[in-house]
Amino acid sequence: MLYPFFDSTYILIILGIVVSMIASGFVKRTFNTYNQVKSQNGYTATDAARFILEQSGIHDVQIERVRGDLTDHYDSRAKVLRLSDTTANSTSVAAIGVAAHEVGHAIQDQKNYIPLRLRAGLVPAANLGQTLSMPMIMIGVFAGMNQTFLNLGILFFSFSFLFQVVTLPVEFNASGRALKILSNGGILNAQEVPKARKVLVAAAMTYVAAAFMSFLQLLRLLLLFGGGNNDD
């Protein structure tokens, strides 16, 4: 019998953790670097977000302050753009880039961007998958490697993986919209836009790492419990 926690496939989890740590460290270093570079035009991140919303014809989205460090996000259900303590009042190129990225999500919402809608629709399935995948697999293990329960556990986990995959185009598209707005809107000058791009690229790598981690976890479950090595 293969054990679900201590086996040779555990190296896949270790690899995923290492990649995630590298991506997290990279985004923090990049943000801290360009958080020291102040925008010459003097916009705060909140000013920039408000300006972009107005220029985009979006008048039903509120901007709120949220506690934390880089906890910025757009809530499509509440129509609220939340900027973190680190970002809201900063005039740095990094903070403005992050705020513009979140406005990019608001623009996606306004334009009914299909991957954004798909991701929102996958949230319940992804949450269900995270809740039920391991219990199903453990029931399958304790039931003598019952393939039905094992397959259900793998299927539930695949919902989480699919959510991570769909998240990638949503985040990359939001960054692309942000950079276009920053380039054309006069918020950042020509020398500052490439610096904001570096911040957004670094941030995007965290989503790539999350998807990679989820893939490795799914691969591990398939190797352990996919049926090829289990007794009937």
Side-chain angles (χ1 to χ4, degrees), residues 4-81:
F5 297 111
F6 301 103
D7 56 83
S8 60
T9 66
Y10 202 73
I11 192 171
L12 296 174
I13 303 302
I14 295 173
L15 175 61
I17 292 172
V18 170
V19 170
S20 295
M21 291 176 63
I22 291 172
S24 178
F26 179 52
V27 70
K28 287 180 180 178
R29 288 193 303 272
T30 305
F31 181 86
N32 289 337
T33 296
Y34 294 106
N35 199 37
Q36 306 303 315
V37 180
K38 302 304 178 183
S39 168
Q40 293 184 10
N41 291 334
Y43 283 95
T44 66
T46 300
D47 292 336
R50 186 173 292 111
F51 176 81
I52 297 170
L53 287 171
E54 291 176 355
Q55 290 296 306
S56 302
I58 301 174
H59 305 293
D60 60 345
V61 171
Q62 303 298 314
I63 300 175
E64 295 180 357
R65 185 86 165 258
V66 63
R67 292 182 179 179
D69 183 11
L70 294 179
T71 52
D72 313 86
H73 63 279
Y74 171 67
D75 185 339
S76 60
R77 291 175 298 179
K79 300 290 185 182
V80 174
L81 191 155

Side-chain angles (χ1 to χ4, degrees), residues 86-138:
T86 308
T87 302
N89 292 327
S90 174
T91 60
S92 74
V93 169
I96 291 172
V98 169
H101 172 89
E102 299 306 329
V103 177
H105 288 309
I107 296 173
Q108 290 173 338
D109 190 20
Q110 178 200 42
K111 295 184 178 297
N112 289 313
Y113 182 60
I114 292 176
L116 181 69
R117 297 288 180 245
L118 180 58
R119 184 176 73 169
L122 283 171
V123 169
N127 290 338
L128 182 67
Q130 288 180 337
T131 302
L132 295 181
S133 59
M134 290 313 298
M136 287 293 102
I137 287 174
M138 295 308 298

Side-chain angles (χ1 to χ4, degrees), residues 147 150-151 154 221-232:
Q147 200 61 49
L150 295 176
N151 288 343
I154 293 171
L221 293 178
L222 287 169
L223 291 173
L224 286 175
F225 307 118
N229 296 321
N230 296 336
D231 294 332
D232 294 332

Side-chain angles (χ1 to χ4, degrees), residues 174-213:
S175 290
R177 292 176 190 271
L179 289 169
K180 183 177 180 180
I181 291 166
L182 292 175
S183 299
N184 299 334
I187 298 170
L188 299 179
N189 63 37
Q191 290 72 41
E192 293 168 341
V193 171
K195 298 173 183 177
R197 178 180 292 108
K198 290 181 180 179
V199 173
L200 296 180
V201 168
M205 290 303 101
T206 63
Y207 295 101
V208 174
F212 182 60
M213 176 69 168

